[in-house]
Amino acid sequence: VAVRNLDQVLVDHAHCERKAAATALSLINRYPKMHDLVRRCTRLAQEELGHFQAVYNELVKRGLEYDYDRGDPYVQQLSVHIRKGTQEHLMDRLLVAGIIEARSHERLLLLAQALEAGELGDLYRDMANTEAGHAQLFVDLATRYYLAADVEARLGELLQREAVIAAELPLEPRIH
Ligand SMILES: [Fe+2]
Ligand SMILES: [Fe+2]
């Protein structure tokens, strides 16, 4: 479905990269005193914005229109499970961000394998390589601020929720 509707996938992908950068900046804004978080999210925001730039350039090259974001049901449904107003809010935010990164990495890798080894296949391969470390970055940060056993247990719970969400989503030409 994705390869047959690559134009739609590219527009959706541009939104994903922009939102990944925005998530990193939002964490810095919310937790300014957490040095490791600020340091690693700064680097992450730069990488994600670089990805956005690469995908946006591809849109322009193909004469596609970058439009308003129609929203991402996968991310919206997953974010419902972030506990609000508790000590664990940051843990959930980090782990949900990590799960989204892991799923994105998986999808970009699949696209890289499915596309011809031409320009776009190479672009996706390069991006998938960078994305590979992002999920772990968020799990590492969660472990920096919470007990490893608690992080592991919560990650397991969230992954179970994610499996249900992913199984029920319709098959559409988008990253998630
Ligand atoms: Fe990215
Ligand atoms: Fe990423």
Side-chain angles (χ1 to χ4, degrees):
V1 170
V3 170
R4 277 202 311 269
N5 302 277
L6 205 53
D7 290 357
Q8 279 168 268
V9 172
L10 280 167
V11 175
D12 179 61
H13 184 192
H15 284 298
C16 288
E17 300 292 357
R18 176 186 52 75
K19 285 183 280 193
T23 295
L25 290 176
S26 160
L27 282 164
I28 294 171
N29 185 48
R30 174 76 191 262
Y31 302 98
K33 293 180 182 175
M34 294 182 163
H35 172 69
D36 284 351
L37 181 148
V38 172
R39 193 172 50 85
R40 299 194 73 176
C41 284
T42 299
R43 171 82 192 274
L44 180 66
Q46 287 175 326
E47 279 183 8
E48 302 295 17
L49 209 54
H51 292 169
F52 171 76
Q53 188 175 38
V55 180
Y56 183 75
N57 288 345
E58 198 58 43
L59 294 185
V60 172
K61 206 161 90 184
R62 292 166 173 250
L64 299 172
E65 191 181 12
Y66 183 57
D67 203 349
Y68 290 105
D69 186 6
R70 292 177 303 125
D72 188 329
Y74 165 80
V75 173
Q76 285 159 2
Q77 290 176 36
L78 198 55
S79 301
V80 166
H81 299 292
I82 297 174
R83 291 167 289 183
K84 309 215 164 51
T86 70
Q87 288 287 324
E88 283 75 34
H89 181 68
L90 174 60
M91 186 204 288
D92 286 3
R93 275 195 75 173
L94 293 170
L95 292 181
V96 163
I99 291 170
I100 295 167
E101 288 286 351
R103 190 64 55 207
S104 304
H105 172 238
E106 174 198 72
R107 299 286 161 85
L108 295 195
L109 211 54
L110 286 170
L111 273 171
Q113 287 162 2
L115 294 167
E116 296 297 319
E119 212 175 331
L120 210 52
D122 293 339
L123 178 77
Y124 272 98
R125 217 174 325 280
D126 288 349
M127 270 190 287
N129 282 339
T130 325
E131 299 295 349
H134 291 175
Q136 193 58 46
L137 180 156
F138 281 113
V139 176
D140 287 351
L141 276 179
T143 312
R144 168 79 179 73
Y145 300 113
Y146 299 91
L147 288 175
D150 293 346
V151 170
E152 199 183 326
R154 184 59 179 157
L155 182 58
E157 286 171 12
L158 288 169
L159 283 170
Q160 283 180 357
R161 309 272 193 185
E162 194 230 6
V164 174
I165 292 165
E168 286 175 358
L169 283 172
L171 200 57
E172 284 189 277
R174 51 192 312 156
I175 299 297
H176 303 121

